[in-house]
């Protein structure tokens, strides 16, 4: 299974996701793609197997991934303060991969009906879901 983690801005959420996934699934093939080099570097340092940056990297990686993990904004054009291009959002949305999206109430998008929790708890829920997907659940 190839797990793709996408993040932008400073890569804080992506870094947490990569670190938690690496700990929970040490054998996993973790690909990290950042919308900018700072996000990519944060995820690479956290333990990504491979890393790349930019719009085309998102498009290519989405074609290969079995699971895509990241903030909810990766499926919305102009999210993450404009770092998610329409092509990036479309690549994620059209991917055959199972998407595990972490809800964040930022960038003028409010997610209702989601129990408020710490980012640590949300990251753990995402890791649990990725493990279930990879196990065939």
């Amino acid at each position: 299974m190839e797990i793709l983690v996408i993040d932008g801005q400073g890569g804080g959420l992506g870094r947490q996701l990569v670190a938690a996934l690496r700990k929970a699934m040490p054998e996993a093939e973790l690909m990290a793609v950042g919308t900018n080099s700072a996000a990519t570097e944060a995820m690479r340092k956290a333990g990504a197997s491979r890393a790349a940056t930019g719009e085309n990297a998102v498009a290519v990686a989405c074609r290969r991934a079995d699971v895509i993990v990241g903030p909810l904004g990766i499926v919305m054009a102009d999210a993450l303060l404009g770092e998610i291009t329409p092509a990036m959002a479309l690549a994620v949305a059209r991917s055959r991969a199972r998407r595990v999206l972490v809800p964040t109430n930022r960038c003028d998008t409010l997610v209702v009906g989601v129990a408020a929790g710490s980012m640590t708890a949300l990251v753990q829920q995402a890791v649990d879901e990725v493990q279930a997907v990879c196990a065939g659940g």
Side-chain angles (χ1 to χ4, degrees), residues 42-94:
M43 293 186 285
R44 187 193 64 73
K45 285 182 177 179
S49 307
R50 294 176 294 137
T53 303
E55 182 179 82
N56 197 59
V58 169
V60 171
C62 283
R63 290 194 303 259
R64 300 181 57 184
D66 297 300
V67 181
I68 298 172
V69 188
L72 178 65
I74 64 174
V75 296
M76 292 182 276
D78 301 330
L80 302 183
L81 298 175
E83 291 187 15
I84 300 298
T85 67
M88 288 174 170
L90 190 60
V92 174
R94 285 189 174 167

